[in-house]
Amino acid sequence: MAEDAPGTESGWAALAEGRWREARALFEEAVAAGESAEALEGLSWAAWWLDDAPAVFACRERAFGLYDEGGEPAAAARMATWLAVDELDFNGAWAVADGWLARARRLLEPLEPGPDHGWLAFHEGYLAHARGETDRARALAAEVAELGRRLGVADLEMLGLALEGASLVSVAEIEDGMRCLDEATVAALARSPSIPISSAWTCCMLVSACTRVLDYERAFEWCDRIAEFAERYGSRYMLAFCRAEYGAVHLWRGRWAEAEAQLAAAAEDFSCSRPAWAGGPLVELAELWRRQGRTAEAEELLERAGPVRAEQLVRARLALDRGDALQAAELLERLLRGVPEHNRLDRAPALELLVRARVASGELEGAGAAAAALREVDGLVGTAGLRACADRAEGVLAAARGDHERARRLLEDAVDGFRRCGAPFEAALARLDLAASLVSLGRAETAEQEAASARDRLRDLGAEPEASRAEALLAELRRAAQGPGGRESPLTPREEEVLRLLADGLTNHEIAARLVLSEHTVHRHVTNILRKVGVRSRTAAVAQAARSGLFDGRDA
């Protein structure tokens, strides 16, 4: 191989100290003096840190060719491996990335194991993890960590541990997964990696694991560490990741102005540094705007975000907002078909929402299966946030089945759980569900207190659609308390609604379809109406209601 051109050694020194522009100038000088694979490789890294995608690809592809032609298969494989990563980061091109990895594997197969084998295994493992191929990801992670220890490459050891931890968390083996991630992050902070981004990637995997289990406090603390890294190295790419995670934390905590600012900045940063990553913060921002009633803007953001997994979750929520429970359920089932059964943690958000969609469409058996699957994940994870989600889902289902006493207990636990982990929006929604069950239990005064508390908090947050729903419930409660002609009514608002439909001659089956309830629930309402009005037949109940003025002023 030709002797390195002047400036190459100085360029690598500048890279090691994070002086990207200086390194770029030195490597450009070296390339101009006499093109070499090593100078081109160094120039590709300077361009990588400066977010210059065209230069990254041009330099790495040329370096790959020179290493390959010069009989240096390990170095050529190294370039092929990083080109695969670049295709994912800059272009989202999975098939092209797979092609480069296959090339790297072919070059390395005849060689004794070395660091380049470790880097290839790590990136293959990361892609397997992203695709839900957990067993393969774990096997490759173990290989990476072992190679790192044997060869004395700290980057590989900590990244192998981090990948193993992330894979374990995805299948809800939380304790073992977090232990691996903690060990990896300690190593990341204690050592000086040969490739600085290794430390940030390790911390990123820990933060992502924390947010997936709804441990936002821990995620926030680690985001601070990554933000320090981003500032130190001037990495817009890593700053974008931090801003996206900060935005998710602020959204959960109810600090929506801060969330919007961070998510918008993250989307902009990713668009300028790693376009393929911009979809994540765009989807989070769309969810925020959905909560604020900015439906058209949210849908526009989802179109921009593209096929990100969380996109279908937000689309399903939008469908439920407009009363289309069937479409919501279909979107969620489509999402779940794309997530392997063993990746239980990735399935949890869709399962939670599917319970509500199935309840809204009267499919209580399907809702029960989703709730049971979600509770199984909760039993494995055990964080306060996920437990509150499971409690609320089971509470909504219990209410739909007519077991309002059980629903009350579950929904009270959900409210308390969301409040403990600092989730005011979720706590307010659980309060509204609780208020509805309290009404059915005849505890109108307590129901009004819960609904009023939810309304006030939702207004503070700026969640106008849900605040309006709370206000509507309060208005129903007040009308029910007055009853016809100002007298107190013995019936709940829902029972009055069922009685009016009975007066229209509808059967239980027809009423269930009209109100999106189960026939069992309608039958229970009819039984309660007869008992409270003091008659034995549906016809007599309608007649008694008409005499008391219940139907006065109703629409023709």
Side-chain angles (χ1 to χ4, degrees), residues 287-335:
E287 169 60 16
L288 171 56
W289 287 359
R290 181 197 73 82
R291 295 180 183 190
Q292 294 172 329
R294 299 161 65 180
T295 303
E297 294 168 279
E299 290 175 340
E300 182 182 344
L301 278 185
L302 293 176
E303 289 298 322
R304 287 175 52 196
V308 181
R309 181 182 295 167
E311 172 221 0
Q312 288 183 317
L313 276 176
V314 181
R315 289 194 185 279
R317 293 186 185 112
L318 285 165
L320 274 179
D321 291 344
R322 60 176 178 266
D324 194 342
L326 178 60
Q327 185 189 21
E330 288 175 346
L331 284 166
L332 294 165
E333 288 172 343
R334 178 180 175 183
L335 189 159

Side-chain angles (χ1 to χ4, degrees), residues 20-21 23-25 27-28 31 35-64 79 82-83 86-87 90-91 272-274:
W20 316 127
R21 296 189 185 281
R24 181 172 192 159
F27 283 122
E28 285 175 340
V31 170
E35 188 180 62
S36 72
E38 186 178 22
L40 285 163
E41 181 177 356
L43 182 54
S44 77
W45 275 112
W48 190 92
W49 284 101
L50 294 169
D51 304 322
D52 185 348
V56 170
F57 283 103
C59 292
R60 285 188 172 162
E61 287 173 6
R62 181 59 180 147
F64 168 82
M79 288 296 91
W82 286 108
L83 278 163
D86 298 333
E87 287 290 353
F90 290 105
N91 302 325
C272 296
S273 62
R274 301 296 186 279

Side-chain angles (χ1 to χ4, degrees), residues 88-227:
L88 288 175
D89 279 358
F90 290 105
N91 302 325
W94 288 75
V96 181
D98 283 336
W100 279 113
L101 290 176
R103 244 178 163 178
R105 198 179 312 113
R106 176 178 56 79
L107 288 163
L108 290 173
E109 275 176 358
L111 306 180
E112 287 296 315
D116 294 315
H117 291 77
W119 284 108
L120 173 61
F122 169 70
H123 291 299
E124 287 185 319
Y126 186 81
L127 262 65
H129 171 60
R131 288 169 167 153
E133 301 167 4
T134 305
D135 289 343
R136 183 163 187 263
R138 289 176 64 178
L140 286 164
E143 179 183 336
V144 173
E146 194 277 330
L147 272 173
R149 283 189 289 270
R150 179 150 54 91
L151 300 172
V153 181
D155 303 46
L156 292 175
E157 183 179 359
M158 67 185 177
L159 284 170
L161 280 169
L163 179 58
E164 182 179 5
S167 300
L168 287 166
V169 168
S170 71
V171 294
E173 294 184 30
I174 308 301
E175 186 176 349
D176 290 342
M178 285 300 186
R179 184 165 55 246
C180 288
L181 284 161
D182 284 339
E183 183 180 350
T185 47
V186 167
L189 295 171
R191 302 175 185 175
S192 297
S194 56
I195 300 178
I197 197 64
S198 301
S199 294
W201 280 345
T202 299
C203 293
C204 287
M205 281 190 268
L206 176 59
V207 169
S208 296
C210 291
T211 55
R212 289 167 82 185
V213 301
L214 306 185
D215 188 352
Y216 285 99
E217 289 295 328
R218 195 175 188 198
F220 198 84
E221 291 174 7
W222 280 106
C223 271
D224 288 343
R225 299 292 185 92
I226 303 171

Side-chain angles (χ1 to χ4, degrees), residues 61-75:
E61 287 173 6
R62 181 59 180 147
F64 168 82
L66 290 175
Y67 280 134
D68 195 28
E69 293 164 10
E72 298 184 68

